[in-house]
Amino acid sequence: MGVMINEAGADFGTATVIAVPADQKIHLNKAWEGTIIKVGTKKYIFKDTRKHVRAYLDEGDRLRLS
C-alpha cells in the first residue's frame, strides 16, 4: 500500500521527508516546494508545489511521478 498524505511540507521551506520501501507507493494530495520523497533508494525533491502526486518504482527500478 504505502502512504496517503493530504499535505506534505510547508510554504516557508521546512524540509519534510517521506519514505517508503521499494514495493510501496506514496500518494500526496499536495506537496509543497522542498518536500523530499523516497521510494526504496530513489529520491525526488519537489522544485515547486504540486497537487495529486503518485510516486512509485517501475519495473526498471526508476522513480515515476504521476
Side-chain angles (χ1 to χ4, degrees), residues 2-60:
V3 297
M4 298 180 79
I5 298 173
N6 188 44
E7 190 170 340
D11 62 354
F12 47 85
T14 301
T16 301
V17 180
I18 300 161
V20 296
D23 64 341
Q24 296 185 17
K25 297 179 182 180
I26 297 173
H27 301 264
L28 301 169
N29 283 332
K30 184 175 186 177
W32 287 92
E33 175 184 353
T35 299
I36 301 166
I37 58 172
K38 287 180 67 177
V39 181
T41 61
K42 306 299 181 183
K43 176 172 79 169
Y44 180 81
I45 302 171
F46 288 91
K47 305 293 186 216
D48 54 2
T49 300
R50 292 194 37 197
K51 293 184 177 182
H52 308 293
V53 177
R54 306 293 180 257
Y56 60 94
L57 295 182
D58 67 11
E59 295 85 19

